[in-house]
Amino acid sequence: MDKLTVISGTLFLLADVFAIVSLAMPDWIITDVGGDTRLGLMWTCMTLFNRPQVCFTPDLRLEWLLALVSIFIGCICITTTIILLASSHWDRNVIPYARWVGFTAMVLFCFAAVVFPMGFHIPEIGGQPYQLPNSHQVGISYILFVLSLWVTVISELFAGKVCLPHF
């Protein structure tokens, strides 16, 4: 296995971890108006007027449901890509498949990144598509997801040997 394949596999693993952690945390959109509210794709947590924090599974609107499904399938594609890159140690013929599966993950993550802000119109936020109100902010989960998207793009460049570093 060459150095670029190892670098690509490591970066894909890092992207996969970032995406899974971002899904697990409820910090996609946060606000402190009327208490502490953290909206996520899989969890929503609220703390109202110094009461104990309450977390629950949200009823997602179509936009956020599409983003969740895209990220989930993208994580499966990245995991498959990592397995294919590891198996390329024994069979170099799987490299093109790894590239295409990684590319699919990248496209799914890009789709989720475009669709997610369309859901800012939900009643919990009260904004418009792509316009988050001043009272709300993006949280660490969204930042980790965007980081995962960028790391996936860089990984794909290494897998495709498009971006060749000089060693």
Side-chain angles (χ1 to χ4, degrees):
M1 196 177 326
D2 63 344
K3 288 180 184 179
L4 290 178
T5 304
V6 172
I7 292 171
S8 178
T10 304
L11 289 173
F12 272 122
L13 179 64
L14 186 64
D16 208 12
V17 168
F18 286 157
I20 291 169
V21 168
S22 75
L23 284 178
M25 296 188 326
D27 298 318
W28 284 71
I29 303 294
I30 57 174
T31 183
D32 57 359
V33 175
D36 181 35
T37 303
R38 300 179 308 153
L39 303 172
L41 296 178
M42 295 183 65
W43 295 103
T44 293
C45 295
M46 296 179 160
T47 306
L48 301 175
F49 304 111
N50 296 325
R51 294 183 185 157
Q53 184 178 41
V54 177
C55 294
F56 56 92
T57 305
D59 293 327
L60 297 176
R61 301 287 176 129
L62 179 63
E63 297 90 348
W64 284 16
L65 184 62
L66 285 173
L68 174 64
V69 169
S70 296
I71 295 168
F72 185 74
I73 295 172
C75 287
I76 292 171
C77 288
I78 289 177
T79 303
T80 305
T81 301
I82 294 166
I83 293 168
L84 288 171
L85 287 174
S87 66
S88 72
H89 180 68
W90 296 279
D91 183 8
R92 298 289 297 166
N93 295 327
V94 299
I95 292 283
Y97 300 110
R99 289 180 190 153
W100 280 108
V101 175
F103 179 77
T104 303
M106 183 181 71
V107 169
L108 287 167
F109 280 4
C110 288
F111 176 75
V114 170
V115 170
F116 177 76
M118 290 174 64
F120 290 168
H121 67 85
I122 64 173
E124 293 88 351
I125 297 175
Q128 297 295 321
Y130 299 105
Q131 294 179 353
L132 197 59
N134 292 335
S135 59
H136 291 71
Q137 305 169 20
V138 295
I140 190 69
S141 295
Y142 184 73
I143 293 168
L144 282 174
F145 166 67
V146 171
L147 183 60
S148 174
L149 168 63
W150 280 106
V151 172
T152 303
V153 170
I154 293 167
S155 303
E156 185 63 25
L157 291 173
F158 278 117
K161 298 187 180 11
V162 173
C163 180
L164 296 173
H166 301 286
F167 291 113

